[in-house]
Amino acid sequence: MTASAPPADEHQRRRDVPVGVAMVGMVAIAWWPAFTLGVWGEVFFDDILALWAASTAAFVFVLVERRPVGGRLARALVLLLPSVWLVLNFVVADDTTDMALAIVDLAAIAAVLLGIPFTLWVLVRVVWPDFATETRRRTKWLIALVVLGVAVTSFVLGLNQEHFLTCGDFDISGNSAPPGCTPGPAD
């Protein structure tokens, strides 16, 4: 008895599953920092430290992967952004000049705005090495646009949290109630 090949549409569906997994995974990681930025005006330390941990692991992987050195070094340098931010926080004292604090803030912004998407991209490439060659350009753009769209929507939802969440919702989830939250029936 010989096994027959799956129909062409089944083969395409199986090829699409990793794209969906990558898209959902990236969105699951990106939405919360965007939401907290909208609600509280900052990305929480645990999100930045999680980014630091993931980017450090990706940094080590990029350094040891078997690829030409030039491209690896550029990616490794971008993956160091969260570490640069962390080191700057140790080096720059709280009582330093406004310029030094501005540099730390810029490093934090760079770590978040560049670090999160780039780390996610590298992690997708680690888990799915053939992603770049097996995935069409428009599919990559679709993934990027969906992740960006969800992140922007999460940010806007955070800015407007008082329209659909109450102070109690934040309290019960273990978060502090943000300024301007709407008191609920029991608040």
Side-chain angles (χ1 to χ4, degrees):
M1 174 181 245
T2 61
S4 61
D9 59 335
E10 177 67 18
H11 177 71
Q12 182 61 38
R13 189 190 70 72
R14 286 184 187 169
R15 282 186 30 187
D16 290 344
V17 168
V19 170
V21 170
M23 187 183 307
V24 170
M26 292 171 93
V27 163
I29 292 168
W31 84 270
W32 179 249
F35 183 76
T36 63
L37 186 61
V39 173
W40 288 280
E42 64 181 278
V43 177
F44 294 153
F45 73 91
D46 53 342
D47 294 322
I48 294 175
L49 290 176
L51 169 63
W52 169 78
S55 67
T56 300
F59 169 79
V60 171
F61 176 80
V62 165
L63 288 181
V64 300
E65 72 180 323
R66 295 183 178 116
R67 300 184 83 190
V69 173
R72 286 189 301 146
L73 290 179
R75 288 185 294 144
L77 288 174
V78 175
L79 289 167
L80 279 177
L81 282 172
S83 294
V84 168
W85 168 80
L86 197 57
V87 168
L88 284 174
N89 275 286
F90 278 97
V91 173
V92 177
D94 289 338
D95 61 348
T96 58
T97 66
D98 289 339
M99 181 59 138
L101 291 176
I103 291 171
V104 172
D105 288 344
L106 285 174
I109 291 168
V112 170
L113 293 180
L114 295 175
I116 288 176
F118 195 76
T119 300
L120 289 173
W121 186 260
V122 169
L123 293 175
V124 166
R125 299 278 309 268
V126 168
V127 174
W128 185 10
D130 298 328
F131 176 74
T133 57
E134 290 182 359
T135 308
R136 294 185 309 239
R137 183 181 305 232
R138 77 175 195 195
T139 302
K140 292 175 196 172
W141 277 107
L142 174 66
I143 292 170
L145 290 173
V146 168
V147 173
L148 180 64
V150 169
V152 168
T153 302
S154 296
F155 175 75
V156 171
L157 287 172
L159 289 174
N160 295 287
Q161 49 75 27
E162 71 276 2
H163 297 292
F164 65 99
L165 296 171
T166 67
C167 300
D169 292 326
F170 287 96
D171 291 335
I172 200 164
S173 70
N175 294 289
S176 61
C181 65
T182 303
D187 292 339

